[in-house]
Amino acid sequence: MKIVIVGTNHAGIAAANTLLDNYKGNEIVMIDRNTNLSYLGCGTALWIGRQIDSYQNLFYTKREDFEAKGAKIFMETSVNDIDFGKKIVHCQKADGALFDESYDKLILATGSLPIVPNIPGKDLKGINYLKLFQEGQAVDAEISRADVKTVAVIGAGYIGVELAEAAKLRGKNVLLFDIAPSSIATYYDDIFTNEMDKRLRDNGIDCHFGEAVTEYKGSERAQKIVTAKGEYDVDLVVNAIGFRPNTELGKDHLKLFKNGAYLVDSHQQTSDPSVYAIGDCATIYSNAVRDTTYIALATNAVRSGVVAGHNVAGTALEAIGVQGSNGICVFGYKLVSTGLSVTGAAKAGIDVAYSDFEDLQRPGFMRTNATVKIRIVYEKSSRRVVGAQMGSTEDISMGIHMFSLAVQEGITIDKLKLLDIFFLPHFNQPYNYITMCALTAK
């Protein structure tokens, strides 16, 4: 069987490895328009902020690894269009040469694209986006310029907040804008976003929340940002307001979700039985909402690639759904969450209650300690846990994995009340904050 994979980042790589490692004898063709594969975009801010030594290790594999397994790879190659009826992918190399690749099965792993706000001045120089490795290189080069003193970051989601920190660590004045009333509002409720906002301001970030950018001004290069509250002088703009699924190749043939993503079933199969879609270009099933949704995360991309690889090769494997587990660390403050926040549950139409608790990580007599804040969100009618959030300067990230499993399995808040959690002063309190948060639930 001949299998063509369009897109070779996290999802495409996971699908290719699944096929090459487990199903010998198939012809695997991998196509990507980029010069590289497997770039960990989540590390871009670490590199720009010089928190790591180099960007080199942000690439976790290379084309030679796949060629050694027998795959045929075309880099710097665009897919112009796909003839789904004849099962032919029409390609074009960087030198302009055209060629076709037929397929028995096609896996679309085309990812997502940055959202570009359609406002005056959007085509001025000095306005950057952050998705691909080359875009990270461009932003790093701009921030390295001595004449770039003030950096404006548009969008205070994960990428925007991390980039604001990176620019500040490079000695720049940083303005952070978002139309939302706080940073990272997608995944966290205000008891956590307030803490993050304070951390940003305490470290010199000039936060402008609830303030939409309406125009960029400048002759050739953006020199001012305009909002309803005024104009701000800037030397560099980085737009990080979000992403949209990249579904241009199949939007006229395949069924789409309400946001334009390819609609797939639990096997990652599209409305065309010969075509599978994975990663940021496709839908995913949320165990918190218990419905099809769209969550663009690298971890989800990898899982969807594994599922698609097995199904394409003939092994029936259903995805088990996701919770959208995530985390962030900015200026030493660490946040992790899974499932739905109270705000997110309201948007999804789920009637929830929540329980909060705050305490020290370890007993008070321990010299090394930190405060931990936790919120557990649960559905009122069923009492099943639909989400959790935790924040601390301590690394409490492993706890969120337990909550991810709880959401996946429909565990109730009451099941957590007497959960067997060990105690040792080196690690935690005898009355653990997870236990106490569950016990205080009404």
Side-chain angles (χ1 to χ4, degrees):
M1 182 165 55
K2 183 175 180 181
I3 303 161
V4 174
I5 303 172
V6 180
T8 63
N9 212 26
H10 308 307
I13 283 173
N17 276 328
T18 299
L19 288 162
L20 292 165
D21 294 343
N22 298 284
Y23 303 98
K24 308 300 182 183
N26 294 307
E27 182 181 356
I28 309 298
V29 180
M30 303 168 68
I31 304 170
D32 200 290
R33 58 182 177 151
N34 214 333
T35 58
N36 52 73
L37 48 81
S38 80
Y39 178 63
L40 286 169
C42 57
T44 300
L46 292 173
W47 156 39
I48 292 174
R50 299 300 186 261
Q51 294 170 275
I52 58 176
D53 295 330
S54 167
Y55 60 79
Q56 298 291 343
N57 290 330
L58 295 178
F59 297 95
Y60 57 88
T61 189
K62 55 189 182 297
R63 64 177 298 166
E64 290 79 8
D65 296 337
F66 294 92
E67 289 172 335
K69 295 179 182 181
K72 182 164 64 173
I73 301 181
F74 296 98
M75 302 300 296
E76 296 184 83
T77 299
S78 299
V79 174
N80 292 335
D81 61 82
I82 300 170
D83 187 328
F84 292 97
K86 295 181 179 179
K87 295 186 177 181
I88 296 175
V89 179
H90 299 293
C91 309
Q92 184 173 5
K93 295 183 179 179
D95 61 6
L98 301 173
F99 69 98
D100 293 340
E101 285 289 339
S102 61
Y103 65 85
D104 296 304
K105 298 289 184 180
L106 174 66
I107 300 177
L108 296 175
T110 47
S112 56
L113 298 170
I115 295 172
V116 180
N118 188 23
I119 61 176
K122 64 182 176 64
D123 296 322
L124 289 169
K125 294 179 181 178
I127 301 174
N128 292 260
Y129 298 87
L130 208 55
K131 175 69 173 177
L132 304 175
F133 168 61
Q134 289 84 354
E135 292 167 338
Q137 282 184 306
V139 171
D140 182 63
E142 291 272 12
I143 287 180
S144 298
R145 290 172 45 173
D147 60 337
V148 172
K149 301 183 184 301
T150 300
V151 177
V153 179
I154 316 302
Y158 273 2
I159 294 176
V161 167
E162 290 171 340
L163 187 62
E165 177 195 36
K168 194 65 183 178
L169 292 174
R170 295 289 295 277
K172 306 299 180 180
N173 301 317
V174 182
L175 287 72
L176 179 61
F177 294 84
D178 201 293
I179 194 171
S182 69
S183 64
I184 55 174
T186 300
Y187 296 109
Y188 297 91
D189 291 317
D190 56 6
I191 64 168
F192 297 97
T193 61
N194 290 343
E195 292 280 352
M196 180 58 78
D197 294 351
K198 183 178 185 302
R199 180 70 55 147
L200 292 168
R201 292 188 173 103
D202 287 350
N203 284 274
I205 306 297
D206 187 4
C207 298
H208 296 266
F209 301 137
E211 196 169 347
V213 175
T214 57
E215 184 180 359
Y216 303 116
K217 286 185 176 181
S219 51
E220 292 185 5
R221 185 180 175 92
Q223 296 170 306
K224 289 181 181 293
I225 279 180
V226 181
T227 76
K229 296 183 179 180
E231 296 186 1
Y232 305 89
D233 294 329
V234 298
D235 301 308
L236 172 67
V237 177
V238 183
N239 197 312
I241 64 173
F243 301 99
R244 59 181 178 84
N246 180 16
T247 54
E248 188 64 29
L249 290 173
K251 64 181 176 61
D252 296 326
H253 174 69
L254 304 172
K255 286 185 179 179
L256 304 179
F257 190 54
K258 57 188 177 184
N259 73 329
Y262 295 126
L263 186 63
V264 298
D265 64 13
S266 60
H267 299 92
Q268 301 300 139
Q269 192 173 45
T270 69
S271 54
D272 183 332
S274 298
V275 182
Y276 293 72
I278 55 180
D280 288 3
C281 68
T283 57
I284 205 157
Y285 184 84
S286 165
N287 290 313
V289 180
R290 292 186 169 173
D291 201 358
T292 298
T293 188
Y294 181 77
I295 306 174
L297 290 170
T299 49
N300 292 345
V302 170
R303 279 186 285 271
S304 66
V306 172
V307 171
H310 284 294
N311 282 290
V312 165
T315 300
L317 176 66
E318 284 194 274
I320 61 174
V322 303
Q323 289 67 252
S325 302
N326 62 92
I328 188 171
C329 177
V330 173
F331 294 120
Y333 187 55
K334 303 171 180 69
L335 286 172
V336 289
S337 81
T338 191
L340 298 171
S341 64
V342 174
T343 305
K347 290 180 180 177
I350 300 175
D351 189 17
V352 298
Y354 61 89
S355 180
D356 295 340
F357 197 77
E358 185 172 339
D359 202 357
L360 292 173
Q361 170 71 20
R362 302 176 186 86
F365 57 76
M366 296 297 290
R367 292 172 181 166
T368 302
N369 225 329
T371 299
V372 180
K373 184 179 292 185
I374 180 173
R375 168 171 286 184
I376 305 173
V377 183
Y378 57 98
E379 187 178 40
K380 283 184 179 178
S381 59
S382 67
R383 298 183 67 78
R384 69 182 179 96
V385 175
V386 297
Q389 303 155 67
M390 296 192 292
S392 179
T393 55
E394 183 86 8
D395 182 2
I396 38 80
S397 60
M398 289 303 292
I400 209 66
H401 301 312
M402 182 201 73
F403 284 109
S404 178
L405 183 61
V407 175
Q408 176 182 298
E409 297 301 310
I411 299 298
T412 67
I413 184 73
D414 306 301
K415 283 281 189 180
L416 297 179
K417 291 182 177 182
L418 295 178
L419 177 67
D420 180 11
I421 296 177
F422 84 94
F423 158 63
L424 192 67
H426 305 74
F427 299 100
N428 58 5
Q429 298 245 40
Y431 289 88
N432 187 280
Y433 52 83
I434 294 175
T435 301
M436 295 306 297
C437 190
L439 281 169
T440 56
K442 294 180 181 179

